[in-house]
Amino acid sequence: QVQLVESGGGLVQPGGSLRLSCTASASLTVMGWYRQAPGKERELVAVLSTGGSPDYSDSVKGRFTISREYTNNTAYLQMSSLKPEDTAVYYCTARRFLNEYWGQGTQVTVSS
């Protein structure tokens, strides 16, 4: 019933910025972002519940900002001061009731 559509990934130099977006086909309680680098397990990046405050992993806190546009069922991840170690496939995730949904992923590559 619920689908997530992501956009905004790409190639950026260290210190640069990117903004990821994730649009859901329905209103969701929780939306957030995970990432997975080659050879590593998927890790939580940021999450924001409806009406709540955001949570971030220690590795991105102070550099990334998650926000939501509730009228459009959209979540954003503003990424600044990007580092090569941020290179990964970024996945949008969302939850409503007891169901969990995932986007297809978007590649972020940080390299000079």
Side-chain angles (χ1 to χ4, degrees):
Q1 182 180 354
V2 176
Q3 297 185 44
L4 306 178
V5 180
E6 302 166 323
S7 63
L11 175 65
V12 64
Q13 293 184 341
S17 299
L18 283 175
R19 188 192 190 196
L20 307 182
S21 64
C22 174
T23 299
S25 60
S27 179
L28 299 162
T29 304
V30 179
M31 297 189 73
W33 296 88
Y34 283 75
R35 67 185 182 187
Q36 186 170 24
K40 300 178 66 176
E41 294 190 3
R42 188 173 58 188
E43 64 173 342
L44 178 68
V45 176
V47 63
L48 179 59
S49 300
T50 300
S53 58
D55 286 329
Y56 300 95
S57 69
D58 290 339
S59 62
V60 307
K61 189 174 181 61
R63 301 186 298 118
F64 291 10
T65 301
I66 186 172
S67 61
R68 292 175 62 177
E69 188 174 273
Y70 296 101
T71 57
N72 295 324
N73 300 321
T74 301
Y76 302 94
L77 185 68
Q78 178 66 51
M79 305 183 294
S80 301
S81 301
L82 284 163
K83 305 174 181 179
E85 48 264 46
D86 294 319
T87 296
V89 177
Y90 284 71
Y91 297 91
C92 179
T93 186
R95 185 170 71 242
R96 184 177 67 172
F97 308 123
L98 297 179
N99 301 120
E100 190 174 73
Y101 307 94
W102 293 88
Q104 77 286 352
T106 183
Q107 176 71 48
V108 173
T109 302
V110 184
S111 176
S112 60

